[in-house]
Amino acid sequence: MPVIATWIVTAASLVAAVRGEVAADTPGAWDLEVVAVKLPSPLLTGSETTTRLVLRNRGSVAWSPESNFRVAYHWLTPDGRVVVRDGLRTDLVGKVPAGEEVSLDARLLTPTAPGDYLLQWDVVCEGLVWVSERDPTPPVPVAVHIDRGPLTHAFTTVSSAMPAFAVSGERRTVSMLLRNDGTEPWTPERPINVSYHWTRSDGTVVLFEGARTRIPSEVRPGGEVWVAAALEIPDRVGRYRLQWDMVEDGVCWFADRDPTPERAIAVIVLPELSLARHGATAVALGCLALVIVARRREPGTPLRRVARLSDIVWIVLALAMKQGTVLGEMGSPPGEGSGWLILGGAAGIGLVLLFLHEKARPWLAWLVGAFVSVVLLADVVYARFFGDVISLISIGAARQAGDVGASIASLLRGRDAWVLADLLPGALVAMLIGKLREPADRAGRKYAAALLMLLTVAGASALVLKRPGEATSFEQVFKSELVVRRIGPVNFHCWDAAGYLRARLFREPLTASRQNTIVDWFETHREQRAGAGPWFGAASGKNLLMIQVESMQGFVLGYKVDGQEVTPNLDRWKARSAWFSAVTDQTSQGRTSDAELATQVSLLPPLRGAAAFRYGDHRFHGIAGILGGRGYATLSAVPFDGNFWNRRVTHPAYGFNTSLFEEAFEPGPVVGWGLNDRDFLRQMLPKLAATRKPFCALLITLSNHHPFSEFPRELEELRLGSLEGTRFGNYLHTMHLFDKAFGELMAGLEERGMLDDTVVVLWGDHAAGFPWDATFARATGIRMTEPGYYIADRVPLMIHVPGAPELNGEKTLRAGQIDVAPTLLALMGVDPAPYAFLGRNLLGNPGDVPVTQQYGAWMTAQHLYVASGPGLTDGGCFDVASMEALPVDACGAGRLAARELIDVSRGVLRWDLQVDVHTELSGRRDGN
């Protein structure tokens, strides 16, 4: 902490000196005196008021609003522990020079709990220093008593249908009649929800923040309302206590304000019994019992002959049953006839195993069961994050699992063990079958083969007879879930593996006609990416600094909690930048690496797998490579293992001559996956200063990463109230941490005289991974509807061009991450037209074209299309502004354009065509 404080003071001193103030590091630079203060009486809990305050600046540094000086305060306990560090801000009415006083009405928000406190007034230079921290005689805190205010947040459960027993892992709805016992009405405009807390009998908290259910209508004080409250039962069996509560997000939990909160009720959680989860174990135990009993019979008896096939019985039924767990986790009901397909696929596996050598077969069957079970467990975990199942190509990145262990661990549940529970009795079955000495039973094998063949044929027939026109159209389905619903997870993986092998071993040859079609597309869309308009070349010869921020979503900019700005530096930076507020997250299964592909080389990621592994060795035309050919020094930096996402291969392929990974940085506190953003950007500042000019640099941050399970308390600065300790609250802390680090980096560049010669570009890499529920929808300010999910999936993009103030301001053009490369190159004076970029120059003549998203969705200024299958009519067309459904034909033309864009990108990646297309495009123009 002393090192941190020293750095802050030094930075503040330098900034003040640059702004023409006196030397800020001299003794007496910071000194604050509270001359007079008049507190209202009484002070009540949780109330905001104003206080007449007179302060004197006894230091040598002037307090200027232009330098972000504001009045604030700290609340402490009588023994000096901090209760509230960042009090509400009050703007200064003007500059307060050294030795002068300022009189103002300061905002004050009291703590939510009554009692005795200490109140210390202070002055803060945002993002740099609190004056009291440098004052040799800081203001003495004043003792204040807070009385309990009006009971604004209180309720009573008049009636509830909650039973005393529940099933583990169950999601249920509890009908409740609630009465408003507070003094304020519950209105739909306020984020008021019913929620709950789970504790054990000894008081240990199991889950503090339960699922939220919005109050359906306005409830006046004393009024009542029926609510169908969502409730998730703990995964583990045992005795629990359930306390119902209500919460106004960003304000308080009702139990914190109500002196008589709802009493916790005892609930006994019983084990869940389901065919999908427990059926496989029951079958394995049944087969084990059969083999044990059969061993006591004479050789050649029917029971022993049947027992010899118990491994096949177990593997077929177990694999069929377990697949329901994956479908249940995705919340996707199986398609009509899919049950026969699932059973038929499992029977096909059993049929193959049946004809293996009898001595080896039981253990081979067990190995197959273990492998498929692990894949199904991976599907369950993957579905919780992506809402989809994992593909074979994604498994190629499995060696990175150790690096994302925290995310995986946060997604595992105790009930997931049932996916693997049958393997132990299954191993005993395999071992005991080998000890059953029986003569060859060809007749029994024939009967078993006939039955398995019948089931396999029945499964295949269910697909062909149900929808023969789509039996082979799976390639046209954008989301794997849609295929899984129709054919089951195991059949999907078999189909996926076949496609993977076909692509690897029997790749479709590139025909001249296909290549011409791809080149023609780029020629046709040439003007949309061309270096045109008044901003072409506006930043020629300047440095280019690109910052890709982990998990930053667009809603964070301007977001406030209890009056506190989560990203104050970025909020101010927007005014100095071209801020594109409607940029779509275009990543897929490659997540962060997909964002690198899209922004650096303007290509869409593949639908399955990560391009970083599938196409990392291809030839690309990236921002860095193009600028490097024009004399720029090119540098990428990410404080993490360079093998992660194959960056030691992809970054040079994108054109970076130098890449810095974790070994290039001094260790520091880890937040998220690696070195925290503060220390990362601090260490990058001198590295950038030492880099040959002009440079092109890409910095990739790590702090803001799923699962947001914790955040170091010593780095916390926001007061989050009811959000404290939650995943969303930790996410806000990480965003605030990055924002502060970004502000320090910009101040450092300015101190070194580099900011006036540097284009600074910032974007978010992908969504944070929060479920699309009522809580997150309110955070984004978008209604929780299906189209709302796609509209809310935005990432920020800000481009600061020094010396071009006319460019600054919000741009509402619909855009995507693939638009970054052509836009930046055009600013740097490079015409993007001859390059095989899918994106557009957003500052030229971009037009209004479909911006593609995950799962086959796309959006224009007017229309949003959500794909649900291979045909146009399988999806839905919506009006972007109202989110109301439109006739699907209204999206017909846009769908064709979006599909064409995806097909072109797929072709460029499949056949490694980006450099070849550029050569041909250049040749066509030269020939003309």
Side-chain angles (χ1 to χ4, degrees), residues 386-388 477-484 790 855-856:
F386 290 100
D388 210 349
V477 179
F478 290 104
K479 194 177 181 183
S480 299
E481 176 196 352
L482 305 174
V483 181
V484 173
Y790 293 94
Y855 313 131

PDB file of all heavy atoms in Angstrom, residues 386-388 477-484 790 855-856:
ATOM      1  N   PHE A 386     -22.436 -20.844 -22.130  1.00  0.00           N
ATOM      2  CA  PHE A 386     -22.742 -20.456 -23.499  1.00  0.00           C
ATOM      3  C   PHE A 386     -24.177 -20.769 -23.914  1.00  0.00           C
ATOM      4  O   PHE A 386     -24.618 -20.320 -24.968  1.00  0.00           O
ATOM      5  CB  PHE A 386     -21.802 -21.160 -24.484  1.00  0.00           C
ATOM      6  CG  PHE A 386     -20.383 -20.681 -24.419  1.00  0.00           C
ATOM      7  CD1 PHE A 386     -19.427 -21.400 -23.731  1.00  0.00           C
ATOM      8  CD2 PHE A 386     -19.992 -19.511 -25.034  1.00  0.00           C
ATOM      9  CE1 PHE A 386     -18.115 -20.969 -23.670  1.00  0.00           C
ATOM     10  CE2 PHE A 386     -18.681 -19.063 -24.977  1.00  0.00           C
ATOM     11  CZ  PHE A 386     -17.742 -19.797 -24.284  1.00  0.00           C
ATOM     12  N   GLY A 387     -24.904 -21.594 -23.124  1.00  0.00           N
ATOM     13  CA  GLY A 387     -26.231 -22.009 -23.543  1.00  0.00           C
ATOM     14  C   GLY A 387     -26.192 -22.943 -24.734  1.00  0.00           C
ATOM     15  O   GLY A 387     -27.153 -23.027 -25.498  1.00  0.00           O
ATOM     16  N   ASP A 388     -25.091 -23.670 -24.918  1.00  0.00           N
ATOM     17  CA  ASP A 388     -24.909 -24.535 -26.073  1.00  0.00           C
ATOM     18  C   ASP A 388     -24.054 -25.719 -25.643  1.00  0.00           C
ATOM     19  O   ASP A 388     -23.617 -25.803 -24.486  1.00  0.00           O
ATOM     20  CB  ASP A 388     -24.238 -23.758 -27.207  1.00  0.00           C
ATOM     21  CG  ASP A 388     -24.641 -24.259 -28.591  1.00  0.00           C
ATOM     22  OD1 ASP A 388     -25.271 -25.325 -28.661  1.00  0.00           O
ATOM     23  OD2 ASP A 388     -24.333 -23.585 -29.587  1.00  0.00           O
ATOM     24  N   VAL A 477     -27.803 -25.052 -39.655  1.00  0.00           N
ATOM     25  CA  VAL A 477     -28.302 -24.609 -38.371  1.00  0.00           C
ATOM     26  C   VAL A 477     -27.193 -23.851 -37.652  1.00  0.00           C
ATOM     27  O   VAL A 477     -26.078 -24.339 -37.534  1.00  0.00           O
ATOM     28  CB  VAL A 477     -28.772 -25.808 -37.528  1.00  0.00           C
ATOM     29  CG1 VAL A 477     -29.284 -25.330 -36.174  1.00  0.00           C
ATOM     30  CG2 VAL A 477     -29.890 -26.548 -38.259  1.00  0.00           C
ATOM     31  N   PHE A 478     -27.508 -22.635 -37.164  1.00  0.00           N
ATOM     32  CA  PHE A 478     -26.472 -21.763 -36.641  1.00  0.00           C
ATOM     33  C   PHE A 478     -26.037 -22.129 -35.229  1.00  0.00           C
ATOM     34  O   PHE A 478     -24.926 -21.856 -34.832  1.00  0.00           O
ATOM     35  CB  PHE A 478     -26.971 -20.310 -36.638  1.00  0.00           C
ATOM     36  CG  PHE A 478     -27.090 -19.747 -38.019  1.00  0.00           C
ATOM     37  CD1 PHE A 478     -28.324 -19.600 -38.622  1.00  0.00           C
ATOM     38  CD2 PHE A 478     -25.967 -19.383 -38.713  1.00  0.00           C
ATOM     39  CE1 PHE A 478     -28.418 -19.080 -39.893  1.00  0.00           C
ATOM     40  CE2 PHE A 478     -26.056 -18.860 -39.987  1.00  0.00           C
ATOM     41  CZ  PHE A 478     -27.293 -18.708 -40.570  1.00  0.00           C
ATOM     42  N   LYS A 479     -26.914 -22.740 -34.460  1.00  0.00           N
ATOM     43  CA  LYS A 479     -26.611 -23.025 -33.070  1.00  0.00           C
ATOM     44  C   LYS A 479     -26.678 -24.526 -32.841  1.00  0.00           C
ATOM     45  O   LYS A 479     -27.652 -25.177 -33.197  1.00  0.00           O
ATOM     46  CB  LYS A 479     -27.605 -22.299 -32.163  1.00  0.00           C
ATOM     47  CG  LYS A 479     -27.195 -22.251 -30.706  1.00  0.00           C
ATOM     48  CD  LYS A 479     -28.206 -21.441 -29.918  1.00  0.00           C
ATOM     49  CE  LYS A 479     -27.803 -21.364 -28.443  1.00  0.00           C
ATOM     50  NZ  LYS A 479     -28.794 -20.642 -27.631  1.00  0.00           N
ATOM     51  N   SER A 480     -25.647 -25.088 -32.208  1.00  0.00           N
ATOM     52  CA  SER A 480     -25.593 -26.526 -32.012  1.00  0.00           C
ATOM     53  C   SER A 480     -26.784 -27.035 -31.216  1.00  0.00           C
ATOM     54  O   SER A 480     -27.242 -28.165 -31.401  1.00  0.00           O
ATOM     55  CB  SER A 480     -24.290 -26.897 -31.296  1.00  0.00           C
ATOM     56  OG  SER A 480     -23.168 -26.523 -32.062  1.00  0.00           O
ATOM     57  N   GLU A 481     -27.290 -26.198 -30.317  1.00  0.00           N
ATOM     58  CA  GLU A 481     -28.439 -26.597 -29.501  1.00  0.00           C
ATOM     59  C   GLU A 481     -29.604 -27.056 -30.364  1.00  0.00           C
ATOM     60  O   GLU A 481     -30.337 -27.990 -30.000  1.00  0.00           O
ATOM     61  CB  GLU A 481     -28.887 -25.426 -28.614  1.00  0.00           C
ATOM     62  CG  GLU A 481     -30.132 -25.718 -27.801  1.00  0.00           C
ATOM     63  CD  GLU A 481     -30.760 -24.461 -27.253  1.00  0.00           C
ATOM     64  OE1 GLU A 481     -30.164 -23.374 -27.373  1.00  0.00           O
ATOM     65  OE2 GLU A 481     -31.876 -24.571 -26.723  1.00  0.00           O
ATOM     66  N   LEU A 482     -29.795 -26.418 -31.512  1.00  0.00           N
ATOM     67  CA  LEU A 482     -30.927 -26.762 -32.368  1.00  0.00           C
ATOM     68  C   LEU A 482     -30.785 -28.173 -32.924  1.00  0.00           C
ATOM     69  O   LEU A 482     -31.765 -28.882 -33.108  1.00  0.00           O
ATOM     70  CB  LEU A 482     -31.031 -25.740 -33.507  1.00  0.00           C
ATOM     71  CG  LEU A 482     -31.131 -24.275 -33.052  1.00  0.00           C
ATOM     72  CD1 LEU A 482     -31.075 -23.348 -34.245  1.00  0.00           C
ATOM     73  CD2 LEU A 482     -32.399 -24.056 -32.251  1.00  0.00           C
ATOM     74  N   VAL A 483     -29.555 -28.585 -33.190  1.00  0.00           N
ATOM     75  CA  VAL A 483     -29.310 -29.951 -33.649  1.00  0.00           C
ATOM     76  C   VAL A 483     -29.448 -30.923 -32.488  1.00  0.00           C
ATOM     77  O   VAL A 483     -30.035 -32.001 -32.624  1.00  0.00           O
ATOM     78  CB  VAL A 483     -27.913 -30.066 -34.286  1.00  0.00           C
ATOM     79  CG1 VAL A 483     -27.671 -31.490 -34.780  1.00  0.00           C
ATOM     80  CG2 VAL A 483     -27.774 -29.089 -35.439  1.00  0.00           C
ATOM     81  N   VAL A 484     -28.910 -30.538 -31.329  1.00  0.00           N
ATOM     82  CA  VAL A 484     -28.950 -31.410 -30.155  1.00  0.00           C
ATOM     83  C   VAL A 484     -30.387 -31.736 -29.775  1.00  0.00           C
ATOM     84  O   VAL A 484     -30.710 -32.867 -29.396  1.00  0.00           O
ATOM     85  CB  VAL A 484     -28.197 -30.746 -28.989  1.00  0.00           C
ATOM     86  CG1 VAL A 484     -28.370 -31.549 -27.699  1.00  0.00           C
ATOM     87  CG2 VAL A 484     -26.716 -30.630 -29.320  1.00  0.00           C
ATOM     88  N   TYR A 790     -30.280  -9.819 -27.786  1.00  0.00           N
ATOM     89  CA  TYR A 790     -29.359  -9.508 -28.881  1.00  0.00           C
ATOM     90  C   TYR A 790     -29.061  -8.018 -28.961  1.00  0.00           C
ATOM     91  O   TYR A 790     -27.942  -7.622 -29.297  1.00  0.00           O
ATOM     92  CB  TYR A 790     -29.951 -10.014 -30.197  1.00  0.00           C
ATOM     93  CG  TYR A 790     -30.021 -11.520 -30.261  1.00  0.00           C
ATOM     94  CD1 TYR A 790     -31.183 -12.192 -29.893  1.00  0.00           C
ATOM     95  CD2 TYR A 790     -28.924 -12.268 -30.659  1.00  0.00           C
ATOM     96  CE1 TYR A 790     -31.250 -13.578 -29.934  1.00  0.00           C
ATOM     97  CE2 TYR A 790     -28.977 -13.652 -30.703  1.00  0.00           C
ATOM     98  CZ  TYR A 790     -30.146 -14.307 -30.339  1.00  0.00           C
ATOM     99  OH  TYR A 790     -30.207 -15.672 -30.358  1.00  0.00           O
ATOM    100  N   TYR A 855     -25.194 -17.174 -33.208  1.00  0.00           N
ATOM    101  CA  TYR A 855     -26.354 -18.029 -33.469  1.00  0.00           C
ATOM    102  C   TYR A 855     -27.160 -17.591 -34.691  1.00  0.00           C
ATOM    103  O   TYR A 855     -28.364 -17.818 -34.773  1.00  0.00           O
ATOM    104  CB  TYR A 855     -27.272 -18.100 -32.247  1.00  0.00           C
ATOM    105  CG  TYR A 855     -26.551 -18.354 -30.965  1.00  0.00           C
ATOM    106  CD1 TYR A 855     -26.786 -17.583 -29.827  1.00  0.00           C
ATOM    107  CD2 TYR A 855     -25.593 -19.366 -30.883  1.00  0.00           C
ATOM    108  CE1 TYR A 855     -26.112 -17.817 -28.645  1.00  0.00           C
ATOM    109  CE2 TYR A 855     -24.906 -19.607 -29.703  1.00  0.00           C
ATOM    110  CZ  TYR A 855     -25.167 -18.832 -28.586  1.00  0.00           C
ATOM    111  OH  TYR A 855     -24.491 -19.067 -27.431  1.00  0.00           O
ATOM    112  N   GLY A 856     -26.514 -16.946 -35.648  1.00  0.00           N
ATOM    113  CA  GLY A 856     -27.196 -16.596 -36.879  1.00  0.00           C
ATOM    114  C   GLY A 856     -28.055 -15.355 -36.807  1.00  0.00           C
ATOM    115  O   GLY A 856     -28.767 -15.048 -37.765  1.00  0.00           O
TER     116      GLY A 856
END
